[in-house]
């Protein structure tokens, strides 16, 4: 699309944190070709169709560096239940779904992402080929991967960590087929990563095979790391090492690896990961729902680790991630940790915005293409309505966005130069029909999961609708 946005506030999220008022931004095709003072850009591009952006701020679309859209089916349940949710609920429900059901729930996640000002999702999961077309149809930019394992994740809740070559081979075959069929598809809006699910369910052989796949295909890699006490104990029992040390032993660490969570990494782990240039996908809101994130965020920050934000499970709201993330990082060593100097607190709102935009782009090797408002970059844009109560009074816009922003302030969203939401209407999905279908699918899948897994006990009276 060729378009000239005029009279806007521009938040670049670039290396200089530039902010411009009464500015203009020109788009040709799918690229930003100019931005700056309104009069200058209008003189450069007098014939472009105009979009009056008075009362709007334009920022780069947010990059959700780690999410699982299919697990929207668990929303409002495991956040409040005790015990391990990964192998007790997340794994069983994903296997209980049909491809069509996964597509419906994943589409719901994409729509929430759009309404939350997100333009890119990084989504490692399983059976991805069965629903990636539905996700791509929403217009979002995607990095997808089949999160491989060769220890059957369905058996782990029973204490079985035996290596299953057939299980691993099926995962690897799906991963390579996904790359063959989808990397660079949808006019390059869909790309692939190579994903190992987690250190506790990947043998050394699987890690080596995945590393080689990424190397030969030139792809970035991702993994869950030290996300639960169960994982930490299992890796210690099998290998006598922490999860990070196990990955280091197998040569799996490197700057092309984005590792999610780091919840139970110790200081030695952090040093090791930083030395290898591993990036962190921090999901502060998701991890903090049972209590503030336990990761050693102060030492991680001190080590110079590049941190991107994601939402992980049950939500695609990056505003929530920024708000909780700001609190978590400012209290990384305890109350008052965030005070850097008189008149300043670390990290700043601008730093948090970068974690939700440019650092996410960096995590998938796309910092030269997306993540900031700069000439030559893709036109992935989020327009914010400044005339809303949450944005006023507007003394420091970045602070308002980080501390008080919410999906209701998002006016329009553009991906690859095309609107996917305009004036609060999602253009790529029949939203009312989707909401009704997702509700029906979720109830059906929950019933099926509990029938297929009679050992899974749900809290009494927590899901009364299952009886209806």
């Amino acid at each position: 699309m060729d378009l000239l946005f005029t009279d806007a506030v521009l938040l670049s999220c670039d290396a200089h944190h530039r902010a411009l008022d009464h500015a203009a931004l020109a788009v040709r095709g799918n690229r930003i070709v100019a931005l700056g003072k309104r009069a200058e850009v209008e003189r450069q591009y007098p014939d472009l169709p105009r979009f009056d952006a008075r009362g709007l701020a334009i920022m780069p679309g947010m990059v959700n560096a780690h999410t699982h859209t299919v697990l929207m089916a668990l929303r409002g349940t495991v956040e409040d239940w005790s015990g391990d949710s990964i192998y007790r609920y997340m794994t069983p429900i994903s296997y209980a779904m049909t491809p069509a059901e996964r597509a419906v729930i994943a589409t719901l996640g994409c729509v929430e992402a759009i309404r939350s000002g997100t333009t890119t999702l990084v989504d490692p999961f399983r059976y991805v080929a069965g629903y990636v077309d539905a996700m791509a149809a929403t217009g979002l930019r995607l990095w997808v991967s089949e999160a491989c394992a060769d220890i059957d994740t369905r058996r782990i809740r029973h204490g079985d960590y035996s290596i299953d070559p057939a299980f691993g081979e099926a995962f690897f075959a799906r991963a390579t087929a996904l790359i063959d069929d989808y990397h660079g598809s949808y006019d390059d809006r869909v790309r692939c990563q190579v994903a190992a699910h987690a250190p506790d369910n990947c043998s050394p052989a699987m890690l080596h095979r995945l590393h080689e796949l990424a190397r030969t295909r030139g792809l970035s890699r991702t993994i869950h790391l030290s996300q639960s006490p169960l994982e930490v104990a299992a890796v210690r029992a099998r290998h006598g090492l922490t999860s990070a040390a196990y990955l280091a032993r197998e040569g799996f660490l490197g700057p092309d690896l984005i590792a999610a969570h780091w919840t139970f990494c110790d200081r030695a782990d952090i040093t090791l990961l930083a030395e290898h240039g591993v990036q962190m996908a921090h999901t502060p809101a998701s991890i903090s729902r049972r209590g503030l994130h336990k990761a050693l965020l102060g030492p991680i920050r001190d080590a110079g680790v590049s941190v991107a934000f994601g939402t992980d499970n049950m939500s695609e709201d990056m505003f929530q991630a920024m708000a909780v993330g700001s609190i978590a990082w400012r209290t990384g060593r305890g109350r008052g940790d965030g005070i850097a100097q008189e008149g300043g607190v670390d990290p700043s709102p601008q730093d948090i915005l970068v974690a939700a935009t440019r650092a996410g782009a960096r995590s998938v090797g796309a910092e030269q293409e997306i993540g900031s408002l700069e000439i030559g970059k893709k036109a992935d844009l989020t327009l914010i309505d400044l005339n809303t109560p949450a944005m006023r009074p507007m003394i420091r816009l970045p602070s308002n966005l980080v501390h008080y922003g919410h999906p209701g302030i998002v006016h329009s969203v553009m991906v690859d130069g095309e609107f996917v939401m305009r004036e609060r209407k999602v253009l790529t999905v029949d939203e009312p029909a989707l909401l009704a279908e997702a509700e029906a699918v979720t109830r059906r899948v929950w019933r099926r999961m509990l029938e297929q897994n009679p050992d899974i006990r749900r809290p009494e009276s927590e899901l009364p609708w299952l009886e209806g």
Side-chain angles (χ1 to χ4, degrees), residues 22-35:
H22 302 295
L25 183 147
V27 173
R28 276 202 183 278
N30 67 348
R31 299 278 178 175
I32 298 170
V33 294
L35 71 161

Side-chain angles (χ1 to χ4, degrees), residues 14 21 41 63 71 85 90 100 181 183 217 219 240 252 282 359 362-363 382 392 418 423 439 457:
D14 66 5
D21 199 1
V41 178
V63 179
L71 292 179
S85 59
M90 294 176 186
D181 295 342
H183 186 59
R217 300 297 184 98
L219 303 178
F252 200 74
H282 184 40
R362 183 185 307 130
S363 76
T382 292
R392 298 290 180 172
E418 298 292 336
E423 297 179 8
E439 187 75 17
R457 296 181 64 252

